[in-house]
């Protein structure tokens, strides 16, 4: 599994995997139930995002396509084919932003943000492309309440006003947070007051969406080391020593926000 996102029904999720499959499943009272499995891409999925309305979700893949589906029936509504590999996608279903459903696409080797309309008759061409000022966008998520687009643009997490971005086509960050390593996952809480993200330092950080200030963090370093021990790539004695040092340096899971 490379990506996972919750659906509208409580306890229901959709995941994407390296083999190009999408998997609908439920987890209720710690019981896992597989609902549907679909082969939707011919290569690994690079991103998966769902609209705030939970009506649509969009995927991007190494097969150089982005696809929009209905969240309930997983019916394919739109397919875009590109010359480059799409890195990140975001779907905006907000009438206060646009009368049409918008899909934003970034690419691995292009410093730009491609904007597509779901109902557009144009086959693959975007409505327009926003210059991202020599920045490659690695991940995106949209806050309907705050009207902000949060993006991973290594080495930073950026907060952008969606109206300025789309109407003025100006890539002007409102706030910037320097990341502690290579960006990983990025997601909003249901009430959109908190943003969670990961980086290559194996720590899950939760921040305030308004000011990007830290709220809490969870250190996964110990679990990462445990996996190395299980794989035979680290001695147990070395693990115990590293963990004692990290506790002394207040980098344990109990250290709170640093």
């Amino acid at each position: 599994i490379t990506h996972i996102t919750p659906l509208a029904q409580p306890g229901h999720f959709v995941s994407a995997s390296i083999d190009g499959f999408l998997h609908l499943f439920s987890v209720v009272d710690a019981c896992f139930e597989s609902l549907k499995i679909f082969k939707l891409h011919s290569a690994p999925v690079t991103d998966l995002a769902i609209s705030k309305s939970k009506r649509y979700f969009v995927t991007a893949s190494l097969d150089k396509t982005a696809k929009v589906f209905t969240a309930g029936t997983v019916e394919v509504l739109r397919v875009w084919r590109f010359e480059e590999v799409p890195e990140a996608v975001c779907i905006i279903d907000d009438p206060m932003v646009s009368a049409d459903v918008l899909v934003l696409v970034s690419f691995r080797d292009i410093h730009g943000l491609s904007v597509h309309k779901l109902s557009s008759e144009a086959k693959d061409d975007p409505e327009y492309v926003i210059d991202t000022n020599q920045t490659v966008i690695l991940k995106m998520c949209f806050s309907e309440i705050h009207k902000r687009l949060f993006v991973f643009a290594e080495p930073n997490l950026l907060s952008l006003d969606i109206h300025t971005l789309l109407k003025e086509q100006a890539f002007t960050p409102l706030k910037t947070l320097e990341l502690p390593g290579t960006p990983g996952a990025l997601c909003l809480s249901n009430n959109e007051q908190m943003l969670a993200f990961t980086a290559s330092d194996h720590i899950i950080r939760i921040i305030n969406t308004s000011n990007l200030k830290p709220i809490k963090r969870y250190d996964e370093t110990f679990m990462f080391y445990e996996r190395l021990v299980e794989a035979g790539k680290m001695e147990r004695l070395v693990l115990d020593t590293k963990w004692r040092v990290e506790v002394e340096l207040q980098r344990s899971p109990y250290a709170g926000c640093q």
Side-chain angles (χ1 to χ4, degrees):
I1 293 176
T2 56
H3 302 81
I4 186 169
T5 188
L7 297 173
Q9 188 172 349
H12 285 64
F13 302 85
V14 58
S15 67
S17 56
I18 198 168
D19 55 8
F21 280 85
L22 260 65
H23 187 188
L24 272 63
F25 62 93
S26 66
V27 180
V28 179
D29 296 329
C31 294
F32 175 90
E33 181 182 0
S34 178
L35 303 175
K36 294 180 181 179
I37 298 177
F38 303 85
K39 176 69 173 179
L40 296 177
H41 288 282
S42 59
V45 175
T46 58
D47 202 9
L48 165 68
I50 193 166
S51 64
K52 178 64 177 176
S53 66
K54 306 293 186 183
R55 295 196 300 166
Y56 312 103
F57 61 86
V58 59
T59 58
S61 170
L62 287 177
D63 63 12
K64 298 184 178 180
T65 67
K67 299 182 179 182
V68 178
F69 311 86
T70 56
T73 60
V74 196
E75 175 189 357
V76 180
L77 298 178
R78 191 66 190 265
V79 178
W80 288 285
R81 294 174 174 82
F82 308 108
E83 294 183 359
E84 303 291 338
V85 173
E87 177 69 29
V89 286
C90 178
I91 187 163
I92 300 176
D93 182 17
D94 183 354
M96 299 296 291
V97 175
S98 171
D100 202 341
V101 177
L102 301 179
V103 175
L104 311 183
V105 185
S106 68
F107 300 88
R108 293 195 171 185
D109 301 314
I110 298 177
H111 299 149
L113 188 61
S114 181
V115 181
H116 301 261
K117 288 184 178 180
L118 185 59
S119 65
S120 173
E121 296 182 359
K123 185 176 181 181
D124 294 321
D125 295 333
E127 298 298 313
Y128 51 89
V129 177
I130 300 171
D131 183 5
T132 57
N133 303 327
Q134 301 298 309
T135 298
V136 175
I137 296 175
L138 303 175
K139 187 73 69 176
M140 297 181 279
C141 65
F142 171 66
S143 168
E144 188 174 287
I145 294 175
H146 299 285
K147 298 296 185 285
R148 298 284 187 269
L149 184 71
F150 297 96
V151 305
F152 272 154
E154 195 173 5
N156 298 312
L157 171 65
L158 309 177
S159 170
L160 302 108
D161 177 76
I162 197 66
H163 295 294
T164 302
L165 179 69
L166 297 178
K167 293 182 179 179
E168 301 178 17
Q169 298 182 31
F171 192 82
T172 308
L174 298 173
K175 293 185 180 297
T176 300
L177 176 67
E178 185 176 356
L179 297 172
T182 303
L186 177 68
C187 67
L188 277 167
S189 61
N190 286 336
N191 62 11
E192 299 189 0
Q193 300 305 308
M194 294 178 288
L195 188 71
F197 68 91
T198 62
S200 55
D201 62 353
H202 312 293
I203 294 175
I204 301 172
R205 289 175 170 82
I206 301 176
I207 61 175
N208 186 294
T209 52
S210 298
N211 54 26
L212 304 188
K213 298 295 185 182
I215 296 175
K216 195 170 184 177
R217 77 177 201 170
Y218 301 92
D219 194 334
E220 289 196 323
T221 307
F222 186 75
M223 288 184 285
F224 173 71
Y225 289 158
E226 282 280 9
R227 288 194 290 269
L228 291 180
V229 171
E230 292 172 2
K233 296 181 179 180
M234 178 183 287
E235 296 292 335
R236 171 64 60 178
L237 178 62
V238 175
L239 168 58
D240 293 340
T241 303
K242 288 175 71 68
W243 190 243
R244 283 198 301 273
V245 171
E246 291 195 0
V247 169
E248 290 173 5
L249 294 176
Q250 294 187 331
R251 289 173 54 189
S252 74
Y254 315 103
C257 293
Q258 296 293 309

